[in-house]
Structures are given as C-alpha cells and as structure tokens.
Amino acid sequence: MSYSGSYQTEVFRQGGSPFPFTVGGLEREAKSALPEKYFDYIAGGAGCENTVAANRAAFTRWGLIYRVLRDGIPADPGCELFGARLSMPVLLAPAGVGELAHREAETAAARAAAEVGVAQVLSAVASSSLEQVAQAAPHGTRWFQFAWPDDEKLARSLIARTEAAGYGAIMVMGDCYAAGWRTRELSAGFFPFDHCYGLGNYLSDPRFWELIGQPMDVQGDDIPDMSRVARSVAATAASTWNRVFAKPALTVTDIEQLRTWTRLPILVKGVCHPGEAAALIDAGVDGLVVSNHGGRQLDNCVAALDCLPGVVEAVGDRVPVLFDSGVRTGTDVLIALALGAKAVMIGRPWLYGLAIGGQAGVTHVLRCIHAELTSALTLTGHRRADTLSTDDLTRTALA
Ligand SMILES: Cc1cc2nc3c(=O)[nH]c(=O)nc-3n(C[C@H](O)[C@H](O)[C@H](O)COP(=O)(O)O)c2cc1C
Ligand SMILES: O=C(O)C(=O)c1ccccc1
C-alpha cells in the first residue's frame, strides 16, 4: 500500500478543509464535540499531568538541522515494518474505548489507517471487536495490543482470534498493569469499563461468557450488538471484566510462554529502562515500544523521548524500537526517528480526529502528519526516513 498525494495542493485547490491543521485546534474541536467526561478520559493524564507536559516539552529540546542546496527531490517516507509496506513509519497507537469519540469507533479508524497506508494497533479494550475491525478494512495492516488477562483460557482465546483474524503482530501492554492515578476520571466519577464501554473484544469471546456464567449472546460469525448485549448483563459483565482484565504478576517468563503460543511477532510496549530492554530481547521479543502511556500512568515521569536514546543504544540493531508519547506533528516523528526509533505511534491525535470527523477526521490527522513529514525530510536533506540519524539534530539552548 502506498500513499503519495500532496495534501497541501489538495487543500488549497479545495479552498481549505473543515478540519483544523494544528494540534491545539484539533484538541479544541474535539473538546467542543464531546461530552466533557468523554473528552477528559481521552485527553487526561495521571496526577498533575506533569508527565503529559514533559512528553511534549522534550521535543522542544531538540532542533532539526536544516540543509541547503540539495537536489530538492520530494522525499518518500514509505517504509517496511514486520513485512508490511507502510506509507510512513507511523501507526495508530492502541487506544481503548473508541466509542467515547465516535459511534463507529475503531472500525472508522481502521478504514482511515488503510486509506492512508499506515498500521493500526487495536486496543484490547477497543469498543469494536477485533473481528469487526478486520472486516472494516480487510486489506489494512493491523496489529493487536494484548492486555494479558488473569485467565489463561481467555488469554489463549484472544491470541487464537488475533491470528485467525489476520493480525500481523502482537503488542503486549507492559505499561498499564496497575491503575494510574487519573485525576480527571476521578473528578468526573467516570470509569468507562464500569459502564461496559470498551468491552468489544470481551463480549465477543466465548470464554468471557463462560466467566460471566451465562450462555453467549452471540452466534457464530454474528457481529455482536455490543450495546444490546451489554445492557442485558451489564453489571455482571463489568465486574467480570474488572476481575480478569489484567494479570497483575506479569513477568518476562510470561513473554517466553507467549512465544510458545504464537508465531506472530511479539512487541512489548512501555519499555523505558535500557536494562529491561536487554532482558526482553533475551526472552525472544521481536520489537520494543518506548512509551510512558502518554503520561496516563505515572506522573512526574521522565519524558518518553528522553528514554529513547538509552533503549536504542541497549538494543542496537537486534530488534526494531518503536516510540510513542507526545508525538503530534510530522517534525516530532522526524525527531523520534533521528533518535533511533524505527516507527512512532500517535495516540490522542487520532482520537481527536475521530471525535470531530469519524473516518474522515482520522484520515485528515494522518495526512497532515504524512505531508509535514515528507516536507521536513526533504528540507533536512533526506529522501527516505531510514537515513535519519542523530547527525540531523542538535540540543537546543533549553537543554
Ligand atoms: C484514551 C486513551 C486510551 C488508551 N488505551 C490504551 C490501551 O487500551 N492500551 C494501550 O496499550 N495503550 C493505551 N493508550 C496509550 C496509547 O497507546 C499511547 O501509549 C499514548 O496515547 C501515546 O501518547 P500520546 O497520546 O501522547 O500520543 C491509551 C491512550 C489514550 C489517550
Ligand atoms: O485508558 C488507558 O490509557 C488504558 O490503557 C486503560 C486500559 C484498560 C483499563 C484502564 C485503562
């Protein structure tokens, strides 16, 4: 899949766009489009949100070095990642409960990702089931974010469904095994899972229904109507999910076990410490994601970007290192790639796009990043993304 439109040209020809071009604009419009508690769930971070701010501030401490008198041939940020051809090294980060942003939830995001040629990492706590997402964009590149349930049969069922539905990799959520101190959620008194939001992958799983203790309300290939199913058993489904959602004592040994369950590439998300990176590679992982969960888990945390060079150094070229937390623009992508990330994921921006325009909103967000990344690559003297290095950066005076 390749994507080579010039978004600027198209926007000017159309006399503008209904969607904003700045991160601030996207966030403001999403805020006015959504009920306050839904917006706060998406936008919020842990504690005083110092980690959220630190993630963004870290980008301002790197400066890209502009290059002159190059041949000016437009760059192509296309890349290959785990056997998939992508239009740029950008993925939709796994973000749960898409229905808070838009009723088409992750299926709309799947169509947008396929349209632009990027990969979608589907959250374990998506509103749409992993089969619904696969059906929505059969030719898209999709990975599944695996939140290890505290029930082995449910864990194995989710992995088997991931393989059967054609997902290309499994991303283990390492960064959310304990609840963060989410002040906005607490203030709103709103935890989506207590209302059966975000249970798409659970309410479509036979083992989950066994755990609920009721016959499964969905037959064969039927796409479950989550809201109807959920209403009929809401309280039991929510408490069952709370009980089995995450195995608290997850260790490197579990990763070794997962290796025996699946042939799919395994990535672990949430790695910030170089020593942990080395141990995970020894356990057989195929990739790592440096992330502090967008500042939603631990407040007063070091910026994720500041953890990237150490992890990249520890890993060398043994496995690809991906990055997320704070990426908002094409030049942010460039900085992370220059620091050694093979690809980056964006979280909140795609949810804001979804909130304001469904599929078209997510497509817009991705096309903006693609266009800015293409322009910035050209202006830093590159034709491809994989030639970036720390040579393209300097620490700014604020460092
Ligand atoms: C509303 C929301 C829900 C999220 N849900 C998940 C999730 O289910 N699983 C997961 O691994 N990460 C989840 N994340 C974290 C993202 O995958 C990603 O690490 C983070 O959003 C990146 O930071 P950014 O929002 O600054 O781009 C969520 C993030 C948001 C904003
Ligand atoms: O909201 C999140 O960031 C998230 O990843 C999550 C997932 C499951 C339960 C609670 C939070």
Side-chain angles (χ1 to χ4, degrees):
M1 178 101 32
S2 89
Y3 173 76
S4 60
S6 160
Y7 200 31
Q8 289 101 309
T9 313
E10 204 177 300
V11 170
F12 288 133
R13 199 177 294 140
Q14 289 167 0
S17 160
F19 303 121
F21 287 90
T22 62
V23 184
L26 281 170
E27 185 169 335
R28 271 191 303 278
E29 291 210 6
K31 186 171 184 170
S32 63
L34 297 180
E36 196 177 353
K37 62 186 175 184
Y38 291 4
F39 175 79
D40 277 341
Y41 180 78
I42 293 168
C48 302
E49 303 187 343
N50 289 336
T51 306
V52 177
N55 283 342
R56 286 297 301 138
F59 284 91
T60 66
R61 291 195 296 270
W62 288 107
L64 291 164
I65 303 173
Y66 185 81
R67 308 296 279 265
V68 295
L69 300 180
R70 299 287 168 135
D71 56 20
I73 295 174
D76 178 357
C79 70
E80 193 149 315
L81 198 60
F82 292 104
R85 187 77 209 153
L86 306 177
S87 67
M88 59 177 166
V90 172
L91 302 90
L92 298 186
V97 212
E99 70 203 289
L100 298 184
H102 193 274
R103 74 194 143 70
E104 288 171 23
E106 298 81 8
T107 57
R111 288 191 293 269
E115 194 182 342
V116 181
V118 303
Q120 175 189 31
V121 188
L122 184 71
S123 164
V125 288
S127 300
S128 323
S129 73
L130 58 92
E131 289 84 2
Q132 286 173 318
V133 167
Q135 277 174 36
H139 303 296
T141 301
R142 51 187 175 273
W143 302 356
F144 185 62
Q145 174 260 308
F146 182 57
W148 205 299
D150 203 8
D151 176 83
E152 185 170 326
K153 284 188 180 159
L154 183 58
R156 298 203 68 151
S157 173
L158 286 167
I159 296 294
R161 289 171 56 198
T162 301
E163 289 182 334
Y167 284 68
I170 292 170
M171 187 177 285
V172 178
M173 184 175 72
D175 49 359
C176 203
Y177 51 87
W181 181 247
R182 305 266 180 98
T183 39
R184 292 204 211 188
E185 286 164 46
L186 290 161
S187 305
F190 175 66
F191 186 59
F193 310 98
D194 285 344
H195 306 272
C196 285
Y197 294 127
L199 303 195
N201 288 315
Y202 299 87
L203 291 169
S204 53
D205 196 291
R207 173 61 184 163
F208 188 71
W209 284 89
E210 267 177 39
L211 292 165
I212 291 180
Q214 295 204 20
M216 186 161 169
D217 200 338
V218 181
Q219 298 298 318
D221 288 337
D222 274 5
I223 295 180
D225 171 352
M226 298 307 171
S227 52
R228 180 183 57 80
V229 173
R231 263 199 305 276
S232 69
V233 288
T236 345
S239 65
T240 306
W241 180 84
N242 263 299
R243 185 158 50 83
V244 300
F245 162 62
K247 180 175 172 176
L250 203 63
T251 67
V252 173
T253 314
D254 295 290
I255 303 297
E256 287 165 352
Q257 185 174 45
L258 180 60
R259 187 69 292 163
T260 68
W261 290 353
T262 181
R263 286 230 185 90
L264 290 177
I266 298 171
L267 295 93
V268 173
K269 171 168 180 270
V271 180
C272 291
H273 194 289
E276 285 184 352
L280 284 164
I281 294 176
D282 291 343
V285 301
D286 304 284
L288 298 175
V289 186
V290 173
S291 165
N292 59 28
H293 210 91
R296 297 166 70 78
Q297 287 293 94
L298 177 66
D299 202 18
N300 291 335
C301 193
V302 55
L305 192 71
D306 291 335
C307 299
L308 180 59
V311 173
V312 165
E313 196 186 336
V315 169
D317 52 14
R318 286 182 289 174
V319 300
V321 175
L322 277 60
F323 173 81
D324 81 22
S325 296
V327 177
R328 295 290 174 270
T329 66
T331 51
D332 291 343
V333 175
L334 209 91
I335 289 171
L337 297 179
L339 289 174
K342 285 282 175 288
V344 306
M345 307 200 295
I346 53 160
R348 294 177 185 86
W350 78 256
L351 287 160
Y352 296 152
L354 184 66
I356 65 181
Q359 177 184 344
V362 182
T363 298
H364 169 78
V365 166
L366 288 170
R367 293 191 74 182
C368 286
I369 290 176
H370 185 278
E372 191 185 5
L373 176 60
T374 305
S375 154
L377 272 175
T378 310
L379 295 172
T380 51
H382 293 271
R383 289 203 194 155
R384 299 197 323 263
D386 61 3
T387 52
L388 287 159
S389 73
T390 48
D391 201 33
D392 294 298
L393 296 174
T394 187
R395 275 297 207 185
T396 62
L398 287 171

